[in-house]
Amino acid sequence: MNTKANELFNRFLTIAASSREFGINLIRVAILIIFVWIGGLKFWNYEAEGIVPFVANSPFMSFFYTRTAPEYKSYKLKEGEFDQAKHDWHVKNNTYGFSHGLGILIMGIGILVFMGIFSPKIGLIGAVLAIIMTLGTLSFLVTTPEVWVPDLGSGESGFPLLTGAGRLVIKDTAILVGALVVLSDCARRILNGKLQK
């Protein structure tokens, strides 16, 4: 490598190394956008109806509904579809009420993670909650049959073949890692503050 190229490479490395804090703050912003957007969607019926298979099959969440698996399969709606009888079932099932509460929780966690830019203690709480939430979401890979391609005769089914729902869930691994990075950053800043006192 010639001297000019070496200088450019070293300059690049210096800039990249100095962007650590900026990158961590961008993770916070990304989590905020994802959580506020997804949490806000929980106030729309189609989204509330779409999470029913996850919640109904979860040993940690199914108690929020009045009816659970496999009854919900008869009342599934396509995104944007309306059927009065199925809608009424979802009202009785607490589908919408649970989704609204979950939406508030998700948005709150996103805001707490973002606030870590200004307060590491608040950010730490948000990061812990984000980790718990994403682990809960990833548990759907074990508890929800709809995340795996069903055996409908093509010979392509089961693990590791994810459906659209499964592909949606697996993306939470990136959020989990981002939350761990943010948690580490908040803990480091809290410790540094204590050491400086």
Side-chain angles (χ1 to χ4, degrees):
M1 197 182 280
N2 66 37
T3 308
K4 183 114 176 147
N6 199 26
E7 279 179 33
L8 284 172
F9 184 64
N10 285 337
R11 192 176 304 160
F12 166 76
L13 290 177
T14 302
I15 291 168
S18 67
S19 67
R20 183 177 163 275
E21 187 175 332
F22 178 69
I24 292 171
N25 285 337
L26 282 182
I27 291 171
R28 289 183 172 100
V29 171
I31 289 174
L32 173 73
I33 291 168
I34 293 166
F35 280 32
V36 168
W37 198 330
I38 297 297
L41 288 177
K42 297 290 185 268
F43 288 86
W44 296 87
N45 288 351
Y46 87 94
E47 175 69 12
E49 295 154 0
I51 65 171
V52 168
F54 300 115
V55 178
N57 286 292
S58 170
F60 311 110
M61 291 186 233
S62 60
F63 67 89
F64 285 108
Y65 288 164
T66 58
R67 297 166 170 91
T68 57
E71 184 181 350
Y72 71 86
K73 292 180 180 184
S74 302
Y75 297 93
K76 281 179 144 181
L77 290 158
K78 295 175 184 160
E79 291 182 354
E81 177 186 11
F82 181 78
D83 176 299
Q84 188 64 52
K86 291 179 180 180
H87 174 77
D88 292 344
W89 182 90
H90 284 287
V91 170
K92 291 176 188 164
N93 185 49
N94 192 35
T95 297
Y96 307 119
F98 170 74
S99 185
H100 297 166
L102 181 62
I104 291 167
L105 175 66
I106 292 169
M107 288 188 288
I109 292 171
I111 291 166
L112 290 173
V113 169
F114 176 75
M115 292 302 295
I117 293 173
F118 313 104
S119 169
K121 289 180 181 176
I122 293 173
L124 185 79
I125 293 166
V128 168
L129 292 173
I131 289 166
I132 292 167
M133 194 187 85
T134 52
L135 287 173
T137 301
L138 289 169
S139 75
F140 297 147
L141 292 172
V142 177
T143 62
T144 309
E146 284 87 347
V147 301
W148 305 106
V149 173
D151 186 0
L152 300 176
S154 72
E156 298 178 344
S157 63
F159 179 85
L161 307 177
L162 294 166
T163 62
R167 294 190 297 273
L168 178 73
V169 170
I170 199 71
K171 291 176 187 173
D172 266 42
T173 54
I175 298 172
L176 175 63
V177 172
L180 285 167
V181 169
V182 168
L183 176 77
S184 172
D185 178 66
C186 289
R188 180 188 55 79
R189 288 165 56 208
I190 291 167
L191 286 172
N192 286 346
K194 287 183 177 182
L195 291 173
Q196 291 171 3
K197 289 181 181 177

